[in-house]
């Protein structure tokens, strides 16, 4: 079952523990053996992961992998069948009220009153549980690019504006943790870029840990420094993006002078540290053991080849994601 009341010390006055213990930051989110079934379908099958405090973390998985279900359980919107959850060092759902005072969330589509203005929606809903100042409402509207639309009815907002108002509401009370479910859903490419820039700004200015689900892998790679990848209700990989993408190898594009491609193709696979070599649009793409690029360059030059370019290539999160979720194992 979900963590009991006795498993976490009672909290006085709704206070949460400090962000660190003995100088070591606590995880913002911890999930252990989380399980949830809807009828005969097992949505979560022993899911477990942790999100470091201060990170911008992406929550990735195919449709039906259990992402939205997980977010709803974390926020206490639905009960878990089994497992343990902690947010900001406190067990959920035992201390849901105290925890959620430090959490801002946007799960599924933002729900506001169509005939209320953006300002009135934030003022009205933001004041239901805790005081909020008009200055803070205008501050978050400005931060999300909605200051000029503050007096405009929510029902006339575009999809992107509605999503941004949802984010504005989520950060209204300066949460320590921001949980977002597909924040760029329904947006055009320009809107996605604006949302990405907005979340970067929020992270820098508000200091909140951000945990967001998304199916837009390129956006996650550009925004997030940590990822949790799930499939069939289980975690298949989690960690810092740089570590996951490198996977103990580097990828480089090698270009040589005209007329030397055939010799380069014969030499490259045999060089120490070269793990794979394949033709590319303008040369060769090679996988290397880390730190070997300089030696490869020297070997090519020593063989009388003219290296016109040696370009590092960033690994694709999409390739890693597809390999993990299609094959159920590590990518090659």
């Amino acid at each position: 079952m979900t963590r009991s009341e006795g498993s976490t010390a009672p909290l006085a006055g709704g206070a949460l523990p400090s962000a660190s213990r003995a100088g070591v930051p606590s995880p913002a989110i911890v999930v252990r053996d989380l399980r949830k079934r809807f009828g005969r379908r097992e949505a979560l099958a022993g899911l477990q992961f942790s999100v470091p405090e201060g990170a911008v973390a992406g929550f990735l998985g195919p449709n039906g992998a259990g992402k939205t279900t997980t977010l709803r359980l974390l926020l206490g919107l639905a009960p878990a069948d089994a497992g343990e959850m902690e947010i900001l060092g406190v067990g959920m759902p035992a201390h849901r009220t105290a925890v959620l005072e430090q959490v801002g969330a946007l799960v599924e589509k933002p729900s506001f009153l169509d005939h209320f203005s953006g300002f009135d929606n934030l003022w009205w809903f933001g004041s239901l549980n805790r005081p909020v100042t008009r200055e803070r409402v205008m501050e978050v509207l400005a931060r999300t690019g909605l200051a000029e639309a503050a007096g405009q009815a929510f029902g006339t907002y575009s999809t992107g504006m509605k999503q941004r108002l949802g984010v504005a509401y989520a950060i209204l009370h300066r949460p320590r943790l921001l949980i977002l479910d597909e924040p760029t859903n329904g947006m055009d490419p320009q809107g996605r870029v604006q949302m990405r820039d907005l979340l970067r700004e929020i992270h820098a200015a508000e200091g909140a840990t951000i945990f967001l689900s998304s199916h837009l892998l390129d956006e996650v790679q550009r925004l997030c420094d940590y990822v949790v990848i799930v499939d069939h209700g289980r975690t298949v990989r989690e960690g810092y993006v740089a570590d996951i993408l490198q996977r103990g190898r580097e990828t480089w594009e090698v270009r040589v002078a005209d007329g030397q491609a055939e010799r380069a193709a014969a030499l490259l696979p045999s060089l120490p540290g070269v793990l794979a070599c394949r033709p590319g649009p303008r040369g060769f793409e090679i996988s290397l053991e880390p730190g070997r690029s300089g030696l490869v360059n020297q070997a090519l030059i020593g063989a009388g080849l003219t290296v016109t370019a040696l370009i590092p290539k960033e690994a694709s999160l999409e390739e890693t994601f597809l390999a993990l979720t299609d094959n159920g194992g590590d990518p090659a």
Side-chain angles (χ1 to χ4, degrees):
M1 296 300 292
T2 51
R3 204 162 207 192
S4 65
E5 184 76 19
S7 62
T8 303
L11 304 176
L16 293 184
S18 62
S20 63
R21 297 171 183 171
V24 179
S26 301
I29 300 173
V30 178
V31 167
R32 304 184 188 94
D33 196 28
L34 196 60
R35 298 177 183 273
K36 180 67 176 178
R37 182 179 292 275
F38 296 99
R40 301 178 64 179
R41 183 176 72 87
E42 191 174 35
L44 300 178
L47 184 69
Q48 53 187 25
F49 63 86
S50 64
V51 174
E53 187 157 16
V56 180
F59 193 32
L60 305 177
N63 290 335
K67 301 189 300 299
T68 298
T69 297
T70 302
L71 299 188
R72 291 181 62 83
L73 266 55
L74 282 170
L75 294 169
L77 300 177
D81 295 335
E84 297 181 348
M85 299 176 289
E86 291 182 4
I87 292 181
L88 300 173
V90 179
M92 284 287 285
H95 299 293
R96 180 176 183 269
T97 300
V99 170
L100 293 188
E101 286 184 355
Q102 301 292 327
V103 177
L106 173 61
V107 178
E108 299 174 333
K109 294 181 180 180
S111 298
F112 294 108
L113 297 177
D114 282 348
H115 61 284
F116 272 25
S117 68
F119 179 94
D120 288 341
N121 269 299
L122 295 188
W123 173 258
W124 175 261
F125 288 108
S127 301
L128 289 178
N129 296 317
R130 281 179 288 167
V132 62
T133 66
R134 293 181 177 273
E135 290 76 17
R136 177 58 178 171
V137 173
M138 287 306 303
E139 180 183 350
V140 298
L141 285 169
R143 176 152 289 151
T144 53
L146 293 171
E148 294 185 0
Q152 186 177 328
F154 176 73
T156 67
Y157 278 17
S158 67
T159 298
M161 293 169 69
K162 289 178 178 179
Q163 291 292 102
R164 281 186 278 144
L165 191 69
V167 172
Y169 179 71
I171 66 172
L172 187 59
H173 292 287
R174 295 186 173 88
R176 286 172 54 189
L177 172 64
L178 193 58
I179 295 178
L180 306 173
D181 187 18
E182 300 282 1
T184 59
N185 190 33
M187 289 186 176
D188 58 22
Q190 182 179 9
R192 292 198 294 269
V193 171
Q194 292 173 346
M195 179 62 75
R196 184 175 71 227
D197 292 344
L198 168 62
L199 294 179
R200 281 184 181 143
E201 181 184 342
I202 288 171
H203 182 252
E206 303 282 337
T209 303
I210 299 177
F211 185 50
L212 64 94
S213 73
S214 179
H215 65 281
L216 300 173
L217 304 181
D218 182 61
E219 291 297 317
V220 168
Q221 186 168 348
R222 291 171 183 268
L223 175 64
C224 298
D225 51 17
Y226 194 89
V227 292
V228 177
I229 303 175
V230 297
D231 193 20
H232 300 296
R234 296 182 176 89
T235 303
V236 295
R237 178 68 68 85
E238 70 171 295
Y240 287 96
V241 173
D243 296 335
I244 288 177
L245 294 183
Q246 190 176 60
R247 307 194 310 272
R249 63 178 63 193
E250 300 173 352
T251 302
W252 292 78
E253 181 181 345
V254 180
R255 301 177 189 172
V256 296
D258 292 343
Q260 297 182 348
E262 187 173 339
R263 290 176 57 201
L267 179 61
L268 279 168
S270 65
L271 296 179
V274 175
L275 303 174
C277 176
R278 62 186 179 190
R282 301 180 63 184
F284 300 90
E285 186 176 290
I286 59 173
S287 294
L288 294 177
E289 295 174 359
R292 294 280 194 158
S293 58
L295 297 177
V296 168
N297 187 47
Q298 291 177 6
L300 292 172
I301 294 173
L305 297 171
T306 301
V307 179
T308 59
L310 187 60
I311 306 169
K313 297 189 67 177
E314 187 177 37
S316 166
L317 185 59
E318 181 176 15
E319 293 175 0
T320 302
F321 173 84
L322 291 175
L324 287 169
T325 54
D326 285 350
N327 301 327
D330 289 344

